[in-house]
Amino acid sequence: MNHNEDPAIVASALTRRFGEVTAVSELTLEVLPGEVFGFLGHNGAGKTTTVRLLNGVLAADGGTARVLGLDPWQNGPALRGHTGILTETPSLDERLTGRENLQIYAELYGVPPAELSQRVEELLEAFELAHRGDEKAGGYSRGMKQRLALARALLHKPRLLFLDEPTAGLDPVATRRVHGLITRLSREERRTVFLCTHNLAEAQKLCDRVAVLEHGCLVALGTPVELANRMGHRQRLEIEVAPEGLAATLDILRSIPGITELQQDNGSLTIVGAGREVIPGLVASLVAAGVRIYRVSPREPSLEDVYFALHDVEEGS
Ligand code: ATP
């Protein structure tokens, strides 16, 4: 990420309606060059519509946008020459081989003939598809198809990538591979990644910042840590002590300022509303009271906690 360069995306009060439905409402945000920007929201929140607006394939009803310095609706084709898109259900030509799929798109993207075959081979190699490049894409596993689609989106070396649910339906190994690729694109190649996802663990792991969209409106924006810190009151500490020290421990825990809840489950205690900052004092008091401590572990709020709190839904419901 570089804070001195012009933003890759600037959207201001961007709005799009479909009949009665406002799919995107007054959306204002900036995405920095080289950043992995997570775009989170439930089904129907407006993520795909936003991507289509920012690529200039859908007109806005209101607001403005500059993407890579261009107006998406005035300069759509020029813009799309610098952006790559992985849609939720990428359509590959299943009758063609992996290699042929890339060759055809490279021609469409205007990759110069002299560079074309080298570029295709580089990508097949980078995405670990070279050894299967002459097989029909229809016979590829889901993970291989997704990697091929991602390779296809990169043929023309786009500076900005829109990835819509890039790991949906992939197994953990394939998911990890795609995560590695995304990180590499951003960190090593300095490409900007706009990542639409429902997957909170993915967003927390990969994204520099995340925006949360609900019914077309932005409801939160920040780094995963900033968002989690806003949920400070949800911090918890789990404590496990020897049974004979339980009563003394309960007394000590009750004296900690700010705690909102104390749960007891056999020998394990959980306090809500206090984080790692209370651990040194707590441990000192427990030791002074002769309590044998087995475990004191903080559980910081995750992006998942933030998301559920924002959407007013209980975890697991
Ligand atoms: P998902 O996670 O399910 O892909 P999303 O966040 O991408 O959802 P969108 O596909 O942008 O959400 O849809 C936002 C809203 O706009 C939905 O209510 C959807 O039904 C509506 N919508 C999107 N495209 C159209 C269209 N072409 N015609 C009519 N309504 C549409």
Side-chain angles (χ1 to χ4, degrees):
M1 240 195 311
N2 187 332
H3 297 261
N4 299 321
E5 290 176 43
D6 288 337
I9 298 174
V10 185
S12 178
L14 206 54
T15 301
R16 171 69 201 211
R17 285 179 282 272
F18 294 105
E20 297 289 292
V21 176
T22 303
V24 176
S25 177
E26 305 265 330
L27 179 69
T28 297
L29 53 80
E30 282 192 11
V31 178
L32 303 172
E35 165 170 59
V36 181
F37 188 87
F39 207 48
L40 298 180
H42 286 318
N43 288 124
K47 304 181 297 293
T48 305
T49 304
T50 303
V51 169
R52 297 179 67 210
L53 289 169
L54 294 174
N55 256 288
V57 292
L58 191 67
D61 291 315
T64 58
R66 302 289 290 178
V67 182
L68 299 176
L70 299 169
D71 178 324
W73 306 294
Q74 300 291 329
N75 309 105
L79 171 62
R80 290 190 289 279
H82 298 290
T83 62
I85 299 200
L86 179 73
T87 58
E88 217 172 336
T89 45
S91 54
L92 298 165
D93 193 327
E94 306 230 332
R95 298 158 307 170
L96 300 180
T97 67
R99 185 171 273 110
E100 287 164 347
N101 265 282
L102 294 188
Q103 284 164 345
I104 285 179
Y105 267 82
E107 282 167 27
L108 283 175
Y109 279 136
V111 176
E115 295 170 21
L116 192 146
S117 88
Q118 193 193 340
R119 183 81 189 127
V120 167
E121 294 315 312
E122 269 170 18
L123 285 165
L124 285 172
E125 203 64 52
F127 286 73
E128 298 173 59
L129 291 167
H131 61 299
R132 308 278 299 267
D134 289 325
E135 291 174 33
K136 286 196 168 49
Y140 282 6
S141 70
R142 192 159 181 163
M144 290 170 71
K145 284 182 186 169
Q146 196 70 346
R147 297 210 302 280
L148 183 61
L150 200 46
R152 188 178 69 180
L154 290 169
L155 278 164
H156 54 308
K157 301 189 178 174
R159 286 158 53 203
L160 169 61
L161 264 175
F162 292 96
L163 305 179
D164 204 347
E165 296 289 336
T167 58
L170 299 189
D171 68 32
V173 176
T175 298
R176 188 177 284 186
R177 266 194 187 147
V178 171
H179 285 172
L181 290 166
I182 293 171
T183 304
R184 206 175 71 211
L185 288 167
S186 155
R187 299 291 175 263
E188 291 174 21
E189 301 184 19
R190 295 204 64 307
R191 297 180 204 284
T192 308
V193 179
F194 191 92
L195 175 74
C196 299
T197 184
H198 300 114
N199 185 332
L200 299 160
E202 177 166 280
Q204 189 148 19
K205 183 171 163 198
L206 297 180
C207 298
D208 296 301
R209 290 189 305 147
V210 287
V212 183
L213 203 65
E214 190 176 87
H215 302 303
C217 299
L218 196 69
V219 292
L221 175 68
T223 65
V225 172
E226 279 167 359
L227 293 188
N229 283 345
R230 281 192 217 162
M231 305 296 300
H233 60 284
R234 286 209 166 191
Q235 292 185 107
R236 296 163 187 264
L237 268 190
E238 289 167 5
I239 301 116
E240 215 179 317
V241 295
E244 69 277 5
L246 205 56
T249 304
L250 282 169
D251 284 345
I252 292 169
L253 291 178
R254 286 195 189 103
S255 70
I256 297 175
I259 66 166
T260 54
E261 223 180 303
L262 201 164
Q263 299 157 3
Q264 192 175 348
D265 180 17
N266 293 322
S268 170
L269 299 159
T270 303
I271 52 172
V272 182
R276 60 173 70 242
E277 70 287 350
V278 308
I279 293 177
L282 171 62
V283 170
S285 305
L286 291 173
V287 169
V291 175
R292 286 190 295 147
I293 309 161
Y294 294 146
R295 184 168 66 97
V296 179
S297 50
R299 190 180 163 280
E300 307 289 351
S302 65
L303 202 50
E304 190 167 6
D305 294 323
V306 176
Y307 190 82
F308 282 114
L310 284 169
H311 290 89
D312 214 13
V313 189
E314 275 305 312
E315 231 169 300
S317 65

